[in-house]
Amino acid sequence: PEEAYHVAPVPWKARRLLLFAGHMPRPYLSRTRGLIEKQLENCTDSGDVTMALRGTGRLNLSSYLNATRWHKFCLVSQGDTFSTKKLAEVVVLGAMGGCLPLLTREVVRPYRDVLDYQRFTISFGAPFRNIATAQEQLQRLRSFTSTEHRAIRQNLSRVASKFAVPSASKYLLETLCEKVRSHNESRIG
């Protein structure tokens, strides 16, 4: 799969705006993706948005990797649980030249006490809650410049190892050990 990224990056201006890919979670677990899908479908200003969420519209691995190269942003939202592997995927792929992570508010942000997510992701508070909001947010994404894109990509490169296997496991253990040390020192001192 990594071979898809051993080619020249797609220029920012040649990319489509937004990729929303993955599975559609069970409604009793999370309705977020379904609500976003509905608003984007009803938005008249979403011609440069790719949704690959259901049935035959889902992408195989090779097509997914290629799609992340041809889009500016990849939407990351809650799946069956609050955490989602999509965040780690998009951070690592973004660092390799793929789309930039666009996070909805409910996505769990690991290491948020030590990583400044505003430096390497784009966040939306209540994304696409209605058609007017969806159009505003799509317009906000369209206004991102190639300079802003490069700055976020550089920051993604700095944090990608914290999300990639196996270095993510090492980082997690180091972070937990530091928290335990800090906690123990505060109890002693």
Side-chain angles (χ1 to χ4, degrees):
E2 202 174 298
E3 297 82 38
Y5 279 84
H6 290 278
V7 295
V10 176
W12 183 251
K13 290 184 179 184
R15 296 175 181 225
R16 292 189 57 147
L17 184 64
L18 178 65
L19 175 64
F20 188 22
H23 81 285
M24 190 57 72
R26 295 176 284 276
Y28 62 89
L29 293 173
S30 173
R31 296 176 6 135
T32 304
R33 288 185 188 177
L35 294 171
I36 294 170
E37 177 190 40
K38 184 177 180 181
Q39 293 309 324
L40 287 173
E41 284 174 347
N42 292 327
C43 186
T44 58
D45 196 15
S46 63
D48 50 356
V49 174
T50 301
M51 289 191 286
L53 297 163
R54 298 178 186 269
T56 57
R58 294 273 316 263
L59 301 173
N60 64 33
L61 179 60
S62 178
S63 297
Y64 171 69
L65 291 174
N66 194 45
T68 64
R69 291 182 55 246
W70 281 95
H71 287 80
K72 294 178 180 181
F73 304 96
C74 283
L75 185 61
V76 179
S77 68
Q78 175 184 339
D80 289 334
T81 63
F82 283 107
S83 64
T84 175
K85 68 178 184 173
K86 187 71 67 190
L87 174 60
E89 281 176 14
V90 176
V91 166
V92 172
L93 292 172
M96 295 171 67
C99 52
L100 303 180
L102 172 64
L103 309 183
T104 61
R105 80 168 156 229
E106 78 283 343
V107 171
V108 172
R109 290 156 173 80
Y111 321 118
R112 69 177 182 265
D113 54 336
V114 292
L115 295 179
D116 182 358
Y117 274 79
Q118 293 179 342
R119 297 181 57 84
F120 64 94
T121 66
I122 298 92
S123 295
F124 278 160
F128 311 110
R129 72 175 162 251
N130 59 50
I131 292 173
T133 305
Q135 289 175 327
E136 284 174 24
Q137 291 171 334
L138 291 175
Q139 195 52 45
R140 176 180 162 210
L141 294 177
R142 286 186 186 97
S143 71
F144 264 73
T145 66
S146 56
T147 303
E148 292 169 306
H149 162 256
R150 276 190 302 277
I152 291 173
R153 173 122 21 258
Q154 287 172 345
N155 290 328
L156 280 167
S157 295
R158 291 183 187 110
V159 301
S161 66
K162 291 152 180 62
F163 294 87
V165 175
S167 58
S169 301
K170 181 179 181 222
Y171 183 71
L172 174 63
L173 289 173
E174 289 170 354
T175 303
L176 290 172
C177 288
E178 181 56 38
K179 286 182 185 250
V180 168
R181 263 192 299 278
S182 178
H183 175 75
N184 288 342
E185 288 172 3
S186 69
R187 290 180 61 204
I188 294 170

